[in-house]
Amino acid sequence: MGKVEENKQQKEQSLLNTAFRLFTTKGIIKTSVSDIAQQAGVAKGTFYLYFRDKYDIQNKLIAHKTEQMFRHALDHSDYRSGGSAADKVIAIIDDILDQMQRDPGLLRFINKNLSWGIFSRAVGRSSIDYLSTFREILELGDMGETELQMTLYTIIELVGAACHSVILEQDPVSLEQYKPYLYRSVRAIIEAAEQ
């Protein structure tokens, strides 16, 4: 990689890091493109070389942060150690929940802004093929694409929605107390998909 390309990547990464920090501290509504550019140390016009507007950078951040969490879970969870399909998915979810518990700002940002539309666009742009990875983990080679997507969607929505209050407010219980209830539901979703 040449110096020019390396410089471009550094600027884009600086803009992403700055936007994430501002979005998680000030909120997206109170953050302007000028704020992001100024704090990233670039001209406002440079921002527009990489992103259409602050909502474009927000969507790319959601995709980027989601991919980082999933990649970490694939690298650090024990889902490869055998067990049922549900055991494997729960190992990945457990790692992701632990990541969100360590970084509540990340949870607030992703959970508040993640939608199936943004996630599905992220799937298309990601270096991770989420659906193939999920199909492989579940060992469901013959499941149709729509059914696979809906199973993944249901699990993502369940985990995100259920854990928001549990992680951020310890309400109604702590995350560790809630995990057995959540994992029973995830098992039921996966068992239904396997039939």
Side-chain angles (χ1 to χ4, degrees), residues 131-179:
L131 294 177
S132 293
T133 302
F134 192 59
R135 182 184 301 281
E136 180 184 313
I137 290 167
L138 293 178
E139 300 168 357
L140 299 173
D142 60 345
M143 181 185 274
E145 199 71 14
T146 300
E147 188 173 349
L148 181 65
Q149 284 182 356
M150 292 304 98
T151 302
L152 181 57
Y153 167 81
T154 303
I155 291 170
I156 289 169
E157 289 295 317
L158 173 66
V159 171
C163 292
H164 188 266
S165 294
V166 170
I167 291 174
L168 295 178
E169 298 160 16
Q170 306 281 306
D171 184 34
V173 293
S174 73
L175 178 61
E176 290 308 313
Q177 291 171 301
Y178 183 65
K179 282 181 179 180

Side-chain angles (χ1 to χ4, degrees), residues 23-183:
F23 290 163
T24 56
T25 56
K26 290 175 62 173
I28 190 159
I29 301 297
K30 294 181 182 176
T31 300
S32 68
V33 168
S34 296
D35 295 335
I36 296 167
Q38 180 183 22
Q39 290 198 23
V42 300
K44 186 175 175 181
T46 301
F47 175 93
Y48 292 108
L49 294 174
Y50 299 93
F51 309 102
R52 286 187 310 275
D53 54 29
K54 68 181 180 180
Y55 300 103
D56 182 40
I57 196 170
Q58 174 193 29
N59 291 343
K60 288 179 179 164
L61 273 168
I62 292 167
H64 177 71
K65 294 296 185 179
T66 301
E67 182 174 338
Q68 281 181 328
M69 283 194 323
F70 190 68
R71 192 175 297 282
H72 183 278
L74 290 177
D75 291 344
H76 294 92
S77 70
D78 62 353
Y79 82 94
R80 290 183 184 94
S81 65
S84 70
D87 292 335
K88 293 174 184 180
V89 172
I90 288 169
I92 291 169
I93 291 170
D94 198 59
D95 185 87
I96 290 170
L97 291 175
D98 289 346
Q99 290 179 65
M100 289 192 290
Q101 188 167 31
R102 286 190 300 271
D103 190 350
L106 176 62
L107 170 61
R108 280 187 200 96
F109 179 72
I110 288 176
N111 186 266
K112 185 176 179 182
N113 298 297
L114 185 60
S115 70
W116 180 249
I118 292 171
F119 180 77
S120 61
R121 283 193 301 278
V123 166
R125 280 185 265 182
S126 175
S127 61
I128 297 174
D129 184 345
Y130 290 98
L131 294 177
S132 293
T133 302
F134 192 59
R135 182 184 301 281
E136 180 184 313
I137 290 167
L138 293 178
E139 300 168 357
L140 299 173
D142 60 345
M143 181 185 274
E145 199 71 14
T146 300
E147 188 173 349
L148 181 65
Q149 284 182 356
M150 292 304 98
T151 302
L152 181 57
Y153 167 81
T154 303
I155 291 170
I156 289 169
E157 289 295 317
L158 173 66
V159 171
C163 292
H164 188 266
S165 294
V166 170
I167 291 174
L168 295 178
E169 298 160 16
Q170 306 281 306
D171 184 34
V173 293
S174 73
L175 178 61
E176 290 308 313
Q177 291 171 301
Y178 183 65
K179 282 181 179 180
Y181 297 94
L182 174 65
Y183 296 160

